[in-house]
């Protein structure tokens, strides 16, 4: 039996980028266009006479930044996310389907979109359930021993975080399994990760550390670029320079985003393939 390696799963994204460089370049290009559209929308919605962008501090402020186009941009980002995420799954699990750089809009993307919508709607009423039940569990203890309320609060918070992490890891392969099996296999989502919690948690810890390093690198590189948040340019040369700076920053963000998402989704695909490869209910990897 092949040993499961969290390190190998976390490195699947880098292997994929080396194996399919043109596909990775296409995904980056798609995200570059998407971020460029968002940047142009912000520029068009910028109030006349405002010399600098003010960071919004509420969801309403973020939506207002994009003016009347915010709903279209949300739909665009969701669509591009669906297409590129499934493209990563496809590149790892179905490498023969490389037409159009693994990019397409098919039943696979529709299933992931529906699954994401259901998960979002379910998270609203169920997201606070672990915290509520833990609060109910600790309430009698806090009333009986009021001097230890602080200790119980800290313990309850730590337990809540652990339960949330445990549930998130146990359910983390739903999307890739739905893609692999080309259906909503409701009875298999929970069993597929049984006995694999620590392996998957190790995968995500490795990925988190890699993404943290990439984020630090992005921050350092962004400091070397000239600022683009300033007064409106007055000459053609100034306008060209500002456009070039904005383009470089958008390209950098697009590259970081594509690398990060490729690493994460390739890790999930690798982990699913490794787990199913050991055998589960007679289901073979895609």
């Amino acid at each position: 039996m092949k040993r499961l390696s969290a390190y190998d799963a976390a490195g699947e994204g880098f292997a994929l980028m080396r194996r399919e460089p043109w596909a990775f370049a296409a995904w980056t290009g798609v995200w570059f266009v998407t971020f460029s559209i968002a940047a142009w929308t912000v520029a068009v919605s910028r109030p006349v006479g405002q010399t600098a962008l003010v960071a919004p501090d509420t969801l309403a402020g973020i939506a207002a930044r994009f003016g009347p186009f915010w709903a279209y941009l949300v739909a665009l980002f969701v669509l591009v996310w669906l297409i590129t995420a499934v493209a990563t799954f496809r590149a790892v699990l179905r490498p023969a389907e490389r037409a159009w750089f693994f990019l397409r809009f098919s039943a696979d993307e529709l299933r992931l979109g529906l699954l994401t919508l259901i998960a979002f709607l379910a998270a609203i009423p169920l997201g606070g359930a672990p915290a509520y039940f833990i609060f109910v569990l600790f309430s009698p203890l806090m009333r009986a021993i009021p001097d230890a309320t602080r200790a119980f609060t800290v313990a309850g918070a730590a337990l809540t975080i652990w339960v949330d992490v445990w549930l998130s890891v146990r359910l983390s392969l739903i999307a890739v399994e739905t893609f692999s099996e080309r259906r909503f296999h409701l009875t298999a989502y929970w069993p597929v990760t049984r006995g694999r919690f620590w392996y998957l948690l190790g995968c995500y810890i490795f990925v988190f550390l890699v993404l943290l390093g990439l984020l630090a690198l992005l921050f350092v590189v962004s400091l070397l670029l000239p600022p683009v948040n300033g007064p409106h340019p007055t000459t053609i040369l100034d306008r060209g320079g500002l456009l070039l700076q904005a383009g470089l920053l958008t390209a950098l963000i697009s590259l970081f985003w594509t690398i990060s998402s490729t690493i994460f989704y390739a890790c999930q695909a690798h982990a699913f393939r490794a787990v199913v490869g050991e055998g589960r209910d007679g289901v073979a990897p895609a």
Side-chain angles (χ1 to χ4, degrees):
M1 183 180 297
K2 184 178 180 180
R3 183 178 64 88
L4 298 177
S5 171
Y7 178 80
D8 289 344
E12 178 67 28
F14 292 104
L16 175 59
M17 287 183 274
R18 291 193 301 268
R19 188 168 65 247
E20 301 287 350
W22 291 112
F24 174 75
W27 304 344
T28 305
V30 170
W31 275 114
F32 176 77
V33 172
T34 303
F35 282 116
S36 297
I37 292 174
W40 276 106
T41 304
V42 172
V44 170
S45 304
R46 189 172 179 176
V48 177
Q50 180 178 317
T51 59
L53 293 176
V54 179
D57 56 359
T58 63
L59 289 176
I62 295 174
R65 169 67 60 81
F66 298 100
F69 307 106
W70 69 270
Y72 297 103
L73 288 176
V74 169
L76 176 62
F77 271 93
V78 170
L79 177 63
V80 174
W81 166 73
L82 287 174
I83 291 174
T84 53
V86 174
T88 307
F89 291 157
R90 189 174 287 115
V92 175
L93 298 177
R94 304 176 195 164
E97 300 180 6
R98 57 171 36 89
W100 296 98
F101 305 109
F102 303 99
L103 297 168
R104 61 207 65 178
F105 189 70
S106 63
D108 291 324
E109 286 75 12
L110 289 174
R111 275 190 292 267
L112 180 57
L114 180 58
L115 187 67
T116 302
L117 177 61
I118 294 173
F120 175 77
L121 295 176
I124 297 176
L126 300 179
Y132 174 76
F133 284 117
I134 291 173
F135 173 76
V136 171
L137 178 66
F138 277 83
S139 289
L141 297 175
M142 290 188 289
R143 286 195 297 268
I145 315 174
D147 293 340
T149 298
R150 181 179 179 83
F152 285 128
T153 301
V154 173
L159 184 58
T160 299
I161 294 174
W162 176 251
V163 171
D164 287 338
V165 169
W166 179 72
L167 287 174
S168 299
V169 171
R170 285 297 308 271
L171 296 173
S172 63
L173 298 184
I174 287 180
V176 66
E177 180 165 8
T178 300
F179 165 79
S180 178
E181 299 195 3
R182 295 183 171 93
R183 60 170 174 156
F184 297 108
H185 196 179
L186 301 180
T187 59
Y189 290 144
W190 188 257
V192 73
T193 57
R194 183 182 295 124
R196 300 290 175 259
F197 171 80
W198 292 109
Y199 164 65
L200 292 172
L201 182 62
C203 292
Y204 297 137
I205 289 175
F206 273 122
V207 168
F208 172 77
L209 293 176
V210 171
L211 298 186
L212 192 63
L214 289 174
L215 184 61
L217 180 61
L218 174 67
F219 177 75
V220 171
V221 174
S222 65
L223 292 178
L224 302 178
L225 296 177
V228 297
N229 186 20
H232 289 288
T234 57
T235 67
I236 295 179
L237 185 61
D238 291 338
R239 291 176 186 271
L242 183 62
L243 184 62
L244 177 61
Q245 294 169 23
L248 288 174
L249 183 59
T250 303
L252 184 63
I253 293 173
S254 303
L255 180 61
F256 168 77
W257 185 271
T258 309
I259 292 175
S260 301
S261 59
T262 300
I263 290 172
F264 179 75
Y265 293 117
C267 173
Q268 287 191 320
H270 178 104
F272 175 77
R273 184 178 60 192
V275 169
V276 175
E278 291 191 327
R280 175 184 58 77
D281 300 333
V283 178

